[in-house]
Amino acid sequence: MVLSKACTYGILASLYITRETNKKTGYVSIGRMSKELHISFHFLTKILQELTSAGLLTSMKGPKGGVALKQDAKDITLLDIVIAIDGMELFSECLLGLPGCGNEEPCAVHNEWGGIREQLYQTFRSKTLATTTQQIDEQNLRFALPELLDS
Amino acid sequence: MVLSKACTYGILASLYITRETNKKTGYVSIGRMSKELHISFHFLTKILQELTSAGLLTSMKGPKGGVALKQDAKDITLLDIVIAIDGMELFSECLLGLPGCGNEEPCAVHNEWGGIREQLYQTFRSKTLATTTQQIDEQNLRFALPELLDS
DNA sequence: TTTTTCTAAGACCGGATTGTCTTAAATTAA
DNA sequence: TTAATTTAAGACAATCCGGTCTTAGAAAAA
Ligand code: FES
Ligand code: FES
C-alpha cells in the first residue's frame, strides 16, 4: 500500500470536514463523521489527533465540540496531510529499499522512480482541500468508504 | 513503503543470480549470496522459495547446489518478481484506499494516480533481468545492501 | 451545581510482516 | 557407506499497524 490506512482515512476525513465547513460554521463532530464515512470512531479520533497536533486542525471538547480546519481550506494541501501522518519517506526512499536514495549512488530503477515519485509529490502538493472538495462536488467523486454490510 | 521488504530482497537477489550466471554456469549458493548482499540467510531462503514455486527459479540441494534462473534472463522482468511476491494490488488499488478503483466511481485522485501507477507498471515491465544487469555493469549501479556495521 | 456530550490519551489486542531457528531431505564427496 | 554441504519446510519470536476499549478531562446544557 502506498499510503497507510491511517493516512487515507486522514485525507477522507479532512475532505469531509471541509465540505461540512462549507455548509455550516462551527466544529464537526467526530462521532457523526465516523458514522458517515464508515470509519471506526476511536481509530478516526486517533488520526485526527495527529492532524491536530500537526497544526492542521483545531479541536473543542464538549457538546457542540468537534474538530475544524485551523487554516483556510485553500491553504491546506493533501501533501500536508500525507506528511503529517506518513511523513516524507515516500518521497525520498529508494524503490529497492537501499539506504540513501540519491543521484550519487543510484540503483537500477532510480531514474524512473525519481520521476514517478516527483509526479506523486506534485499531485498531492497541487491539490488543496478547497480545490479537491470543489472537484468532488462538480464531478460527483467518491470520498467515503462504502457501508460495510454484515453478512 | 511501495514494495515490501521481501519484494526488494527478491529483486536484488534475482539481479545477483543473473550476474553470477553470466560469470559461471551452475547454481548460485544462497549462503554466499546472503553474505554478499547482506541479507539474512533464512529470510532470503524463504523469499527465493516463493520465486521458485512461482516458476522463476529452480533449485538444487546438496553441495554445488543452490538456485538458478529457470528462464533466460531476457525473459524475466522485474514485474514478474514483484507480482510473484507482492501480487498485483499495487497496480490496481485506489490511492485513497477505496474499494474498486476504476473509472466508474473515481475518487479525488484517480485521474492522477491512474497515470502514475501505469508508469510504475511499465517501468517494471520494461526492465528484464538481462537489460538491468547490463545497466548495473555499465553504469556502476547499486544492487546490494550496504554492510551493516555493528556499533 | 450536576449531568450530559464531547475530545484526549493511552492501554490493549489481533494479524501481518520481518526475521530467527531447528529439523528434514537431497546431493555430492570422501 | 559415511560424512559434509546445501536447500526445504515450518515452528517460533519480534515488531509494526490497524483497530478496540477504557478512563480522564473539558465544555455546554439542564
Ligand atoms: S537509489 Fe533506488 S530509487 Fe534512488
Ligand atoms: S478510485 Fe481512487 S485511485 Fe482509482
Side-chain angles (χ1 to χ4, degrees):
Chain A
M1 210 185 302
V2 178
L3 301 178
S4 70
K5 218 155 188 183
C7 188
T8 65
Y9 287 175
I11 292 175
L12 298 176
S14 301
L15 293 172
Y16 179 89
I17 296 168
T18 306
R19 283 167 53 89
E20 290 300 307
T21 305
N22 290 345
K23 296 182 196 167
K24 55 170 190 252
T25 173
Y27 293 92
V28 178
S29 156
I30 301 180
R32 205 174 144 239
M33 189 177 357
S34 78
K35 283 194 187 70
E36 300 209 3
L37 296 181
H38 304 108
I39 298 174
S40 149
F41 168 74
H42 292 287
F43 191 30
L44 182 56
T45 297
K46 203 167 12 177
I47 297 164
L48 295 177
Q49 282 173 25
E50 288 187 63
L51 295 180
T52 300
S53 58
L56 298 175
L57 302 179
T58 46
S59 66
M60 172 67 104
K61 290 178 180 175
K64 295 285 181 179
V67 291
L69 299 183
K70 192 166 188 181
Q71 310 160 43
D72 195 280
K74 72 178 192 320
D75 296 327
I76 300 179
T77 67
L78 297 192
L79 182 64
D80 295 327
I81 299 163
V82 171
I83 290 177
I85 297 177
D86 277 355
M88 276 291 296
E89 294 81 40
L90 173 61
F91 308 111
S92 64
E93 75 186 358
C94 168
L95 185 58
L96 296 188
L98 302 178
C101 170
N103 293 325
E104 316 83 37
E105 293 185 293
C107 74
V109 295
H110 180 79
N111 279 341
E112 292 84 352
W113 174 237
I116 292 172
R117 194 171 60 181
E118 179 65 17
Q119 288 177 51
L120 202 51
Y121 183 86
Q122 294 301 338
T123 296
F124 286 128
R125 200 169 82 101
S126 66
K127 295 179 106 65
T128 69
L129 290 181
T131 59
T132 308
T133 53
Q134 191 183 342
Q135 285 179 21
I136 288 173
D137 291 335
E138 288 173 356
Q139 306 170 31
N140 246 304
L141 303 175
R142 278 197 295 174
F143 68 101
L145 295 178
E147 190 172 5
L148 42 89
L149 18 123
D150 41 356
S151 56
Chain B
M1 212 185 303
V2 178
L3 301 178
S4 71
K5 218 156 187 182
C7 188
T8 64
Y9 288 175
I11 293 174
L12 298 176
S14 300
L15 293 171
Y16 179 89
I17 296 167
T18 306
R19 284 166 52 89
E20 290 300 307
T21 305
N22 289 347
K23 296 182 196 168
K24 54 169 190 253
T25 174
Y27 292 93
V28 178
S29 156
I30 300 180
R32 208 176 140 236
M33 187 175 2
S34 78
K35 282 194 187 70
E36 300 209 3
L37 296 181
H38 303 109
I39 298 174
S40 148
F41 168 73
H42 292 287
F43 191 31
L44 181 57
T45 297
K46 208 171 359 182
I47 296 165
L48 295 178
Q49 282 174 23
E50 288 186 62
L51 294 180
T52 300
S53 57
L56 298 175
L57 301 178
T58 47
S59 66
M60 173 67 105
K61 290 178 181 175
K64 296 285 181 177
V67 292
L69 299 183
K70 191 166 189 182
Q71 310 160 43
D72 195 280
K74 71 178 191 319
D75 295 328
I76 301 180
T77 67
L78 297 191
L79 183 64
D80 294 328
I81 299 163
V82 170
I83 290 177
I85 297 178
D86 277 356
M88 276 290 296
E89 295 80 40
L90 173 61
F91 308 111
S92 63
E93 75 186 358
C94 168
L95 186 58
L96 297 187
L98 302 177
C101 171
N103 293 324
E104 316 83 38
E105 293 186 293
C107 74
V109 295
H110 180 78
N111 279 342
E112 292 84 352
W113 174 237
I116 292 172
R117 194 171 60 182
E118 180 65 17
Q119 288 178 51
L120 202 51
Y121 183 86
Q122 293 301 339
T123 296
F124 286 127
R125 200 168 83 101
S126 67
K127 294 179 104 66
T128 68
L129 290 181
T131 60
T132 307
T133 52
Q134 191 185 342
Q135 285 179 21
I136 288 174
D137 291 334
E138 289 172 356
Q139 307 170 30
N140 246 303
L141 302 175
R142 279 197 295 175
F143 68 100
L145 294 178
E147 190 171 5
L148 45 88
L149 19 123
D150 41 356
S151 55

